[in-house]
Amino acid sequence: MSDAPGHDQAGPQTQLPEPPRPPLPPTAPERGGPRARILGIAGLVMTLLFLPAGVALSLWAVVAGLRSRKQARRVLAPAPGAVAGVVLGTISLVLALSQIGLYAVMWDEFNGYVKCRESALTIEDKKACQDEYLPRIERKLHLPKDSLRKQPPAWP
C-alpha cells in the first residue's frame, strides 16, 4: 500500500459540500410599490366618485402591492408603497362593498326618490318627493326622524 498524499487507507478522500452562499445585497427598490400606492389612492377616490372604476382600481392596487411585496422578498429589496397600496385598496374595496350593500337594501327607496324628483316640475313637487321618500329611508336605516332634512350650519 502506498502512503501517497490524498489517499487514505480506506480509499480516496471525499470532499465536503460547499456552504450555502449568503444572499445578494439588495440592489434597487421594487418598482411595483409606488404603483400600488398610486392605484390605492386612485381606487379610493374613484370608489367615491364612480363605483365600478373604483372597484377595478382597488383590486389592481391590492394585486400590484402583493406582487411587489412578494418580488421584493424574493430579491431582498425594499418595496416602498406596496403595503400602503394593499391597505388603501382593501379599504376602498370594503367601502365599495358597503355601498353596493346599501344600494341593494335601499334600491326601491332610492329608485323611487330619483324618479319622483326627475318628474317633479315645481318646488312643491320636489318637496312632496322628500316628504314621501325621506321618512321611508330614515325608517329603513333606523335614523332619527328628520335627520336627512337637517341643513348644515351656516358659516358665520
Side-chain angles (χ1 to χ4, degrees):
M1 297 244 171
S2 160
D3 286 333
H7 283 70
D8 217 9
Q9 295 288 347
Q13 205 173 15
T14 58
Q15 291 185 358
L16 295 174
E18 291 185 27
R21 294 183 184 174
L24 297 174
T27 54
E30 175 60 27
R31 294 183 306 181
R35 183 181 317 126
R37 181 178 51 228
I38 290 170
L39 286 169
I41 292 168
L44 188 58
V45 170
M46 289 305 292
T47 297
L48 300 173
L49 298 176
F50 183 62
L51 189 61
V55 170
L57 288 171
S58 300
L59 283 172
W60 198 6
V62 171
V63 169
L66 291 175
R67 281 185 176 176
S68 177
R69 288 288 302 150
K70 184 176 180 182
Q71 178 65 23
R73 239 185 258 125
R74 188 177 309 135
V75 296
L76 299 175
V83 174
V86 171
V87 169
L88 287 171
T90 303
I91 289 170
S92 59
L93 282 173
V94 168
L95 183 61
L97 289 175
S98 66
Q99 283 181 341
I100 291 169
L102 182 65
Y103 290 153
V105 169
M106 302 297 295
W107 180 256
D108 292 333
E109 287 78 8
F110 287 153
N111 198 24
Y113 181 70
V114 168
K115 285 182 181 179
C116 183
R117 292 279 297 199
E118 287 175 350
S119 64
L121 299 176
T122 64
I123 294 174
E124 289 82 21
D125 292 342
K126 290 181 181 181
K127 182 158 176 20
C129 292
Q130 286 181 346
D131 291 341
E132 181 181 352
Y133 285 99
L134 292 184
R136 288 187 195 178
I137 294 171
E138 290 169 347
R139 276 193 304 272
K140 200 155 196 179
L141 293 177
H142 304 288
L143 296 174
K145 186 177 179 181
D146 293 331
S147 62
L148 294 178
R149 293 179 189 269
K150 290 182 182 174
Q151 297 296 321
W155 291 97

